[in-house]
Amino acid sequence: MSILFAVAATLTATADAAQPADAAQPAGDAHRPHILVILVDDMGYGDPGCFNPESKIPTPHIDALAHQGMRFTDAHAPGPLCHMSRYGLLTGRYPFRTQVGRWREHALIEPDQMTIASLAQQQGYATAMVGKWHVGFEEQGYDRPLAGGPVDRGFDQFFGIRASTDIPPYFYIRGDRAVMPPSEQIAANNSEGWSPIQGAFWRAGGIAPNLQLEDVLPRFTDEAIRVIDQHAAASAAEKPLMLYLAYPAPHTPWLPDEAFVGKSGAGMYGDFMMMVDAQIGRVLASLREHEMQKDTLVIFTSDNGPTWYPKDVQRFGHDSAAGLRGMKADAWEAGHRMPFIVRWPARVPAGTSCDRVINFTDLLATFAELMNVELPPQAGPDSYSFLPALLQTDPPDSTRPPVVMRSGNGRLMTIRDGDWKLITGLGSGGFTRPGFIKPGPGDPAGQLYHLGEDRGEQNNLYDQHPEIVARLEAKLAEIVGQD
């Protein structure tokens, strides 16, 4: 990637931001827009400038999306780790309802379980996925079909990888087959000056001869553009497209192209995040080139919080969590409160924001309402449509039912109801040390925060409001008991 490309990407973002919402483009069916879901990996709430004006990372394309669409400021992943988050996003079901640890050898999504893709497929959409799956295949060797993956769960086509680019084996998958099996070996790698799970970190293991880790991110962009190009040429007038683009970045390994090295104010991580933003710009440019922008509903978010420690904030002056407490895997807000942007020029007012609490599980119900269909009784039990919020037809006092989540280490449960948040124990529940604290004499048994007054979760009110704790514990038990 050249400096010229980096400059061109920035100019593209500027063009996107400047294009009027009513630019001449085919309107299509108002209930069946094209849908593009862009999920990045391990990006913090405070990384994009549109959510954090103090960010040290230029993100012109993400910022352009926010300028043209609606920012959700209280959006949450269904779990603070990659596989948890993806399971909930795809199924509308909280990940604590299944055994997510099975993903390494087994498919987490059941054959009869509705996904956003199978819903769209049933409604006449062409469906495609590009990128990181990370919710499991039925693995019986990489020379055999990988059952239970995207093409068995509603996607017409898939090109991607099984998990993260620091979790071997590393190989590309097209459809349900390895393009080339991971027949070679790659040694582990770390970066000096960073923690063991930061920098250009990857684990040792098998790797396919045709895969270079630094090429994965731009390769996925190329594949996403290919999907859009082919759809536009073949069937855009007859059939809408749903494309789920799941980038495995800025998750480790941080491998910024030369054009971005040293360009951010947040070291290797910030440089890599700039590259992610530029790749997003390329995909958005493809929509514009095919006159699909106006009637494409674009959703952009991140799967969970960043791997960014307090020492990194001090070192670079960049707060990847924008004042939220904690990091990836934590029950605290930085683990799961995500930047979330929706752009749909045909319907969603530009330059707006919404403080309604939403969860990634809500995509399924939102898409069903968008398509004017009812979900089957067993589909999306934890999914609630936020389409009225997008179209600004929500009553002012409307709220989502409580959000429930299990922490990354599996030891803490969290319930969010209105401004109140209960965590059923002490500690972070994730990567921030200590992950779990056994209460001592006189210590509260858990954590209670009023996020309306204490977004940074610094004032534990657990002992001061036993009646609220009891109410939230009862609601938590009720929701966990539903299935």
Side-chain angles (χ1 to χ4, degrees):
M1 189 181 298
S2 65
I3 293 289
L4 179 61
F5 170 76
V7 173
T10 303
L11 292 176
T12 299
T14 303
D16 274 350
Q19 183 164 338
D22 59 353
Q25 299 176 52
D29 185 338
H31 292 290
R32 285 161 31 103
H34 304 296
I35 297 172
L36 169 60
V37 178
I38 303 175
L39 182 71
V40 299
D41 199 339
D42 286 17
M43 182 188 74
Y45 188 91
D47 288 332
C50 53
F51 281 82
N52 176 19
E54 304 301 317
S55 174
K56 296 292 183 69
I57 306 172
T59 53
H61 301 283
I62 298 170
D63 296 347
L65 274 179
H67 176 75
Q68 296 171 352
M70 179 179 290
R71 292 184 311 119
F72 283 79
T73 59
D74 210 342
H76 296 263
L81 289 174
C82 304
H83 53 302
M84 293 177 167
S85 182
R86 285 163 170 73
Y87 177 85
L89 182 149
L90 288 163
T91 66
R93 188 170 183 253
Y94 288 139
F96 68 76
R97 300 195 188 281
T98 194
Q99 297 176 6
V100 292
R102 298 179 300 123
W103 75 265
R104 293 181 183 274
E105 295 181 352
H106 298 286
L108 297 185
I109 303 175
E110 300 297 331
D112 60 349
Q113 198 168 356
M114 178 170 275
T115 67
I116 58 171
S118 62
L119 168 70
Q121 198 176 54
Q122 292 171 13
Q123 298 306 312
Y125 275 74
T127 58
M129 180 185 170
V130 175
K132 170 180 167 178
W133 179 236
H134 209 164
V135 284
F137 298 89
E138 294 298 324
E139 297 195 7
Q140 297 180 356
Y142 301 124
D143 58 343
R144 301 181 181 185
L146 292 161
V151 296
D152 293 329
R153 300 297 183 263
F155 291 101
D156 298 326
Q157 56 178 305
F158 169 62
F159 181 84
I161 53 178
R162 66 189 285 275
S164 304
T165 42
D166 62 8
I167 299 177
Y170 310 106
F171 61 98
Y172 290 122
I173 304 164
R174 190 174 293 280
D176 63 354
R177 300 298 296 256
V179 176
M180 295 183 72
S183 57
E184 299 182 352
Q185 292 291 311
I186 186 172
N189 193 70
N190 294 94
S191 293
E192 186 177 350
W194 295 92
S195 82
I197 58 170
Q198 290 178 300
F201 158 69
W202 62 80
R203 297 170 179 87
I207 188 168
N210 67 334
L211 188 147
Q212 300 291 325
L213 293 176
E214 63 269 23
D215 294 338
V216 172
L217 176 58
R219 175 69 186 276
F220 286 163
T221 301
D222 293 343
E223 288 286 336
I225 292 172
R226 180 192 62 80
V227 169
I228 294 169
D229 288 347
Q230 290 184 351
H231 185 83
S235 60
E238 304 166 3
K239 208 172 196 184
L241 171 68
M242 172 185 279
L243 171 59
Y244 170 42
L245 174 56
Y247 281 126
H251 192 292
T252 50
W254 300 341
L255 300 172
D257 186 89
E258 183 181 352
F260 301 97
V261 173
K263 297 298 192 296
S264 79
M268 294 173 67
Y269 172 75
D271 298 346
F272 196 36
M273 185 62 231
M274 285 183 66
M275 183 177 173
V276 172
D277 181 80
Q279 300 299 312
I280 291 169
R282 292 179 58 203
V283 176
L284 298 177
S286 179
L287 291 178
R288 189 176 66 253
E289 289 163 7
H290 292 295
E291 298 187 332
M292 295 170 64
Q293 176 172 305
K294 182 177 181 181
D295 202 45
T296 297
L297 188 156
V298 178
I299 293 177
F300 166 81
T301 191
S302 174
D303 66 343
N304 50 248
T307 304
W308 197 251
Y309 297 90
K311 64 181 180 181
D312 301 319
V313 178
Q314 297 172 2
R315 178 181 174 188
F316 294 102
H318 172 74
D319 186 354
S320 190
L324 302 177
R325 188 178 184 184
M327 59 186 290
K328 177 178 179 176
D330 291 355
W332 294 325
E333 290 292 286
H336 52 88
R337 186 187 292 218
M338 295 290 98
F340 194 100
I341 301 169
V342 180
R343 185 187 76 179
W344 185 14
R347 301 293 298 277
V348 174
T352 53
S353 65
C354 179
D355 61 1
R356 172 182 170 141
V357 175
I358 64 171
N359 191 274
F360 294 2
T361 56
D362 298 340
L363 292 189
L364 185 65
T366 301
F367 293 160
E369 184 174 3
L370 177 72
M371 298 169 193
N372 200 25
V373 296
E374 291 189 12
L375 291 174
Q378 300 304 314
D382 305 304
S383 190
Y384 301 90
S385 175
F386 57 84
L387 185 65
L390 283 178
L391 304 181
Q392 298 190 329
T393 59
D394 244 353
D397 59 347
S398 64
T399 58
R400 186 196 188 281
V403 171
V404 173
M405 187 193 78
R406 176 173 283 147
S407 70
N409 66 11
R411 304 193 67 171
L412 303 177
M413 293 295 291
T414 296
I415 180 168
R416 168 75 183 278
D417 188 14
D419 283 330
W420 289 104
K421 175 180 177 180
L422 174 71
I423 303 174
T424 61
L426 301 179
S428 73
F431 287 177
T432 302
R433 299 294 180 89
F436 180 77
I437 302 172
K438 185 177 180 180
D443 289 340
Q447 302 171 66
L448 178 70
Y449 301 105
H450 189 282
L451 296 180
E453 299 174 355
D454 180 24
R455 199 180 75 154
E457 298 172 287
Q458 298 300 309
N459 187 18
N460 185 0
L461 302 174
Y462 188 93
D463 285 342
Q464 287 93 315
H465 294 284
E467 75 289 354
I468 295 174
V469 170
R471 175 172 62 83
L472 293 179
E473 287 178 339
K475 284 191 175 185
L476 175 63
E478 178 185 353
I479 293 170
V480 170
Q482 298 168 352
D483 203 354

